[in-house]
Amino acid sequence: MSQDVKNRIDYLTDYLSECNYQYYMLDNPTISDFEFDKLLEELINLEKNHPQFAHQNSPTQRVGGTITKVFPTVKHDFPMLSLSNTYSEEELFDFDKRIKDFGIENPEYICELKFDGIAISLKYENSNFVQAVTRGDGVQGDDVSPNVKTIYSIPLTIKNSFVEKFEIRGEIIMPHKVFHRLNEERVAKGEEPFANPRNAASGSMKLQDSAEVAKRRLECYLYNVHAENIPHKTHSESLEALKEHGFNVPDNFKVCKNMQEVQNFINYWDVERKNLDFDIDGIVVKINDYALQQQLGSTAKSPRWAIAYKFKAEQVSSQLREITYQVGRTGAVTPVANIEPVQISGTVVKRASLHNADIIRDLDLHHFDWVFVEKGGEIIPKIVGIDLEKRKTDAQAVEFISHCPECNTKLIRQEGEAAHYCPNEDNCPPQIKGKLEHFIARKAMNIEGLGEGTIELLFDKKLLRNVADFYTLTYDKLFGLEKTIEATDEKPERTISIREKGASNIIKGIENSLKVPFERLLFALGIRFVGETIAAKLAQHFKNIDALMSASYDELLEVEDVGEQIANSLINYFSDMNHMFIIEQLKSFGLQMKIDETATSVSQKLNNQTFVVSGVFSISRDEIKKMVIANGGKNTGSISGKTDFVLAGEKMGPEKKKRAESLNIPIISEEEFYKMIE
Ligand code: IVH
């Protein structure tokens, strides 16, 4: 009986692997999808009930289902080098000259596409896939085997025999059509779209659930093989052989007898790449002969026998229609060039970012100019130049706006900053929404059930004007609300509506946020320059909101890592009546306005003593500082009359030592500190 099960598992494993190969690699389906799914289902069930017979590289691995919490770090058997880049013909000819100067008279080159994805190293033993490791830092990378097994173009078992043990390297890419579909899905779910297919491929490789990776439909192109006793003399022979063994080696490599042929290959693909369904960013030129590769060797970073010719980013020209200005969540005003729509790298471009007033000035942009637009790795293309010949003589230079397009407040530009800001932070609509979104974020109050769309809806219905308003929401106020949000460049039109479940989730999320610790509430208020870490330090130092609000400028500077900019920002924030009112309201709703001493405290042995921790210790400085706080003490960054102890590790700066001595502040060692808290 169990022999029958084993035989059936063996049979299905082989048969379905072959079906996959025929379908994905040869584009030659041999059975119907229905039949395939039925047999796969049977195999999944058999493997579940008889795991002892399951093959490690079974076709069931293609659908994923393995959860990897942490990808193990693996050292590469030999480093994954990079390639030196060239951007011009001259540099390419220099490469050829270097090879010839080395004594190689008529080098034979092989030209390949330079795939723009993420490098991967695949190990095989006895015709079986064993491990896939990312490039990492070139010396060691992450073992992402379960995720890689879901990629159909990577064989899990190899046809015919090959050398017993080998490693093959290549590039994982996301095809354009998969990329566009994935981004549409992400946007529909309210998630950030990926900037480009490379980022999407890289993000996919790091997913913990391999079933999710399987859905991403990644592909892998292979370009290098490493083994002892390779039975081939040239790289092109190896590539041909790899193809025979079922590896996804592209057909479009070419052996070139001279630089003219290399040049032709480059010129051909510089145009033809627009018709590929994946990104390439150049051409790799390699010496074909393995013995010559060996002779030339490598530097620490890259082989001397190969070079990458990088294509220039695609540029097109189009006419400027108008400049519009976007006010961001922080009040920063970004100018955007709206241009006549043009096709670039496969997408229609209507807008290009101008970043700030300096960029407009440096470009000397005039209204209705013809501009050159370039699309690099970013979603939003940029303007890289102006076609002055097409400018009309009476064209007017573009002047940056003086008032906020959202609330008409006069814009300000701080010394040394590139951006213009709208200072009306509490009444300018995008800034209010930005503050509300920041408040509910995971690292802030973590209010579940609410998102960017619902905030937009509640703002629109005038239910939210500041962060205290969250706590005035009720089920009845929420239930039944609806709004259609217009399409933007990034997101299509969508309708947000709140039904029973949505309303009760929001209310539950808001109730739960009452327990969020003080330091996170402080961060959630969105005080300029007060990030997560500073908020935690302020909370630990002052212990409660009242002490923080009444702190003087000098007292604020005593807190570790708080400098003039943060101190000024805090003073400004707390001197605003509107903010005081919001804080009073939050207090009355029962939010956490003081630190929970019981949560972190171990003892009160250092009660309110102020420490400056400096130098190198047997454990990290951060650990030491945590111990100070856990025992009721405070940390500050610089030594002043208020410092009680300087805790000195090795290599403490001589200036600090002098200052402590001149102020008569006791300098204690790590051991003495441990005694104090024993
Ligand atoms: S050969 C020793 N061939 O480009 C170098 N690399 O910038 C072996 N790449 O890390 C690399 N297409 O991830 C080679 N046809 C190709 C390639 C290619 C893309 C990537 C690879 C490498 C990076 C170097």
Side-chain angles (χ1 to χ4, degrees):
M1 167 66 190
S2 81
Q3 189 57 40
D4 288 348
V5 172
K6 183 178 179 310
N7 287 345
R8 182 72 182 155
I9 289 184
D10 289 350
Y11 166 76
L12 287 173
T13 303
D14 269 2
Y15 179 61
L16 294 176
S17 299
E18 179 61 23
C19 292
N20 272 336
Y21 174 72
Q22 292 287 338
Y23 184 94
Y24 288 99
M25 303 297 291
L26 305 183
D27 207 6
N28 173 37
T30 47
I31 63 169
S32 70
D33 288 357
F34 175 76
E35 189 66 13
F36 183 90
D37 290 344
K38 210 173 71 182
L39 295 177
L40 188 69
E41 188 69 39
E42 182 188 343
L43 183 57
I44 291 173
N45 283 327
L46 285 172
E47 287 179 353
K48 199 156 87 193
N49 296 327
H50 309 273
Q52 72 277 25
F53 298 139
H55 292 235
Q56 196 197 341
N57 289 327
S58 158
T60 57
Q61 296 292 311
R62 299 294 198 195
V63 279
T66 311
I67 306 289
T68 317
K69 287 271 180 236
V70 182
F71 297 103
T73 305
V74 177
K75 192 165 179 300
H76 295 299
D77 288 342
F78 48 95
M80 282 182 86
L81 300 177
S82 51
L83 292 166
S84 43
N85 290 326
T86 68
Y87 293 88
S88 69
E89 259 176 48
E90 295 89 73
E91 286 174 332
L92 196 62
F93 278 93
D94 287 348
F95 167 72
D96 180 55
K97 185 164 180 304
R98 279 199 300 277
I99 303 277
K100 287 179 176 149
D101 288 349
F102 196 79
I104 302 169
E105 264 177 39
N106 284 314
E108 184 177 77
Y109 292 114
I110 171 166
C111 291
E112 296 168 13
L113 305 187
K114 186 170 186 314
F115 304 98
D116 194 9
I118 57 160
I120 194 84
S121 157
L122 310 169
K123 283 189 193 163
Y124 287 84
E125 273 175 37
N126 302 320
S127 299
N128 270 298
F129 166 88
V130 284
Q131 193 179 46
V133 183
T134 60
R135 180 172 189 275
D137 61 6
V139 176
Q140 53 182 33
D142 294 340
D143 178 345
V144 288
S145 304
N147 288 352
V148 162
K149 280 187 188 181
T150 67
I151 301 175
Y152 282 92
S153 48
I154 294 178
L156 298 178
T157 46
I158 300 167
K159 310 178 92 40
N160 315 323
S161 64
F162 197 71
V163 275
E164 188 188 317
K165 216 171 148 181
F166 66 96
E167 189 169 335
I168 178 161
R169 290 178 176 176
E171 203 87 353
I172 293 177
I173 56 112
M174 181 176 281
H176 288 158
K177 59 176 181 302
V178 179
F179 171 71
H180 293 308
R181 197 189 60 214
L182 173 67
N183 265 358
E184 275 165 23
E185 283 168 12
R186 287 174 74 83
V187 166
K189 279 192 273 178
E191 293 169 358
E192 274 300 301
F194 285 112
N196 53 48
R198 182 181 0 93
N199 287 5
S202 156
S204 306
M205 263 308 104
K206 290 184 201 131
L207 290 172
Q208 294 187 344
D209 181 356
S210 66
E212 285 302 312
V213 185
K215 290 187 202 153
R216 297 273 170 105
R217 298 286 166 196
L218 298 165
E219 282 178 19
C220 183
Y221 285 104
L222 300 159
Y223 46 66
N224 259 3
V225 60
H226 299 265
E228 281 176 23
N229 313 323
I230 290 193
H232 317 116
K233 286 207 160 45
T234 61
H235 182 54
S236 54
E237 270 177 65
S238 280
L239 292 182
E240 295 290 359
L242 286 173
K243 244 195 286 182
E244 297 287 305
H245 291 292
F247 283 100
N248 192 29
V249 174
D251 288 325
N252 39 34
F253 64 83
K254 185 172 189 309
V255 176
C256 296
K257 297 266 173 261
N258 53 48
M259 285 308 279
Q260 186 55 54
E261 287 184 17
V262 169
Q263 197 66 57
N264 292 348
F265 187 87
I266 289 175
N267 293 343
Y268 175 80
W269 282 106
D270 196 5
V271 178
E272 205 47 36
R273 67 185 162 123
K274 291 169 197 123
N275 299 323
L276 288 171
D277 187 38
F278 52 85
D279 286 344
I280 61 170
D281 58 346
I283 297 296
V284 185
V285 183
K286 301 173 180 172
I287 288 279
N288 198 21
D289 189 289
Y290 279 144
L292 292 182
Q293 284 190 5
Q294 199 92 46
Q295 271 182 40
L296 284 157
S298 303
T299 68
K301 281 200 204 132
S302 50
R304 290 193 197 88
W305 46 264
I307 196 153
Y309 176 90
K310 300 279 281 260
F311 293 133
K312 289 180 194 66
E314 204 189 335
Q315 263 189 23
V316 290
S317 93
S318 174
Q319 194 177 16
L320 181 64
R321 276 181 175 170
E322 62 165 340
I323 309 265
T324 49
Y325 294 84
Q326 284 176 346
V327 185
R329 306 304 197 201
T330 57
V333 180
T334 313
V336 177
N338 295 259
I339 56 171
E340 289 299 328
V342 272
Q343 275 272 350
I344 177 166
S345 305
T347 45
V348 177
V349 172
K350 292 181 236 151
R351 288 140 57 83
S353 175
L354 285 165
H355 300 288
N356 57 50
D358 291 344
I359 304 267
I360 294 182
R361 193 200 51 215
D362 293 349
L363 283 168
D364 187 28
L365 189 64
H366 283 51
H367 291 286
F368 304 109
D369 265 349
W370 277 82
V371 292
F372 295 112
V373 184
E374 189 175 289
K375 199 169 167 211
E378 319 78 34
I379 282 193
I380 303 173
K382 53 176 183 282
I383 292 185
V384 289
I386 291 170
D387 190 345
L388 289 176
E389 285 181 8
K390 289 194 182 164
R391 178 180 289 168
K392 295 243 169 66
T393 43
D394 59 350
Q396 299 277 308
V398 172
E399 292 266 352
F400 204 88
I401 47 167
S402 57
H403 289 75
C404 176
E406 298 277 347
C407 69
N408 210 26
T409 303
K410 193 167 169 29
L411 301 180
I412 53 164
R413 192 182 192 187
Q414 240 121 32
E415 278 274 316
E417 279 196 34
H420 281 77
Y421 277 92
C422 165
N424 186 16
E425 60 171 309
D426 294 317
N427 298 301
C428 178
Q431 297 192 65
I432 302 175
K433 285 183 245 174
K435 279 215 152 98
L436 296 169
E437 276 166 22
H438 172 75
F439 190 79
I440 63 164
R442 201 169 47 81
K443 287 185 172 175
M445 303 304 278
N446 192 20
I447 303 185
E448 285 176 9
L450 283 169
E452 195 193 319
T454 21
I455 298 260
E456 175 86 39
L457 165 68
L458 298 175
F459 178 81
D460 195 57
K461 304 288 177 201
K462 302 196 169 40
L463 288 171
L464 284 182
R465 276 292 174 270
N466 63 50
V467 299
D469 291 340
F470 282 114
Y471 300 91
T472 63
L473 295 173
T474 59
Y475 179 93
D476 291 338
K477 283 188 193 171
L478 292 170
F479 176 70
L481 294 179
E482 193 167 284
K483 175 179 163 69
T484 300
I485 299 176
E486 275 178 35
T488 60
D489 273 5
E490 279 94 40
K491 299 186 182 181
E493 183 186 279
R494 61 216 155 109
T495 301
I496 307 277
S497 44
I498 304 179
R499 308 256 158 265
E500 290 97 338
K501 197 154 175 269
S504 53
N505 279 347
I506 296 172
I507 297 297
K508 219 188 294 158
I510 292 172
E511 270 170 20
N512 287 342
S513 77
L514 292 173
K515 294 188 233 75
V516 166
F518 173 49
E519 57 272 25
R520 273 180 38 206
L521 169 60
L522 200 50
F523 168 60
L525 291 177
I527 305 169
R528 222 169 158 217
F529 308 123
V530 178
E532 239 182 309
T533 317
I534 294 294
K537 288 187 175 168
L538 288 167
Q540 283 301 341
H541 192 95
F542 291 104
K543 315 281 186 211
N544 62 60
I545 192 85
D546 293 319
L548 173 62
M549 287 197 300
S550 57
S552 69
Y553 181 78
D554 287 342
E555 281 165 346
L556 289 169
L557 285 182
E558 275 170 30
V559 182
E560 195 182 25
D561 292 340
V562 172
E564 290 173 16
Q565 195 182 41
I566 300 176
N568 272 326
S569 168
L570 285 159
I571 297 276
N572 269 342
Y573 185 88
F574 290 122
S575 54
D576 184 319
M577 282 309 291
N578 200 17
H579 296 154
M580 302 304 264
F581 183 64
I582 292 173
I583 287 167
E584 283 313 315
Q585 273 186 300
L586 292 175
K587 260 189 202 172
S588 73
F589 294 130
L591 279 87
Q592 303 301 312
M593 293 291 176
K594 57 179 195 305
I595 60 160
D596 180 0
E597 304 263 12
T598 57
T600 48
S601 105
V602 178
S603 85
Q604 284 302 314
K605 290 194 174 129
L606 308 178
N607 194 17
N608 279 332
Q609 309 265 34
T610 300
F611 283 72
V612 170
V613 183
S614 177
V616 180
F617 299 87
S618 65
I619 55 173
S620 79
R621 203 157 47 231
D622 274 349
E623 288 296 319
I624 300 259
K625 287 179 187 171
K626 277 189 200 149
M627 288 161 83
V628 170
I629 290 164
N631 287 286
K634 290 181 195 170
N635 293 301
T636 60
S638 54
I639 301 170
S640 74
K642 294 200 177 136
T643 311
D644 293 302
F645 293 98
V646 173
L647 174 44
E650 276 173 43
K651 298 188 189 147
M652 182 177 87
E655 284 306 314
K656 277 206 167 136
K657 191 161 183 238
K658 250 196 243 159
R659 181 151 171 78
E661 280 165 359
S662 72
L663 289 168
N664 259 338
I665 299 168
I667 301 180
I668 57 164
S669 68
E670 189 176 344
E671 284 72 42
E672 285 169 310
F673 171 69
Y674 291 146
K675 284 208 184 99
M676 284 173 86
I677 57 174
E678 220 164 49

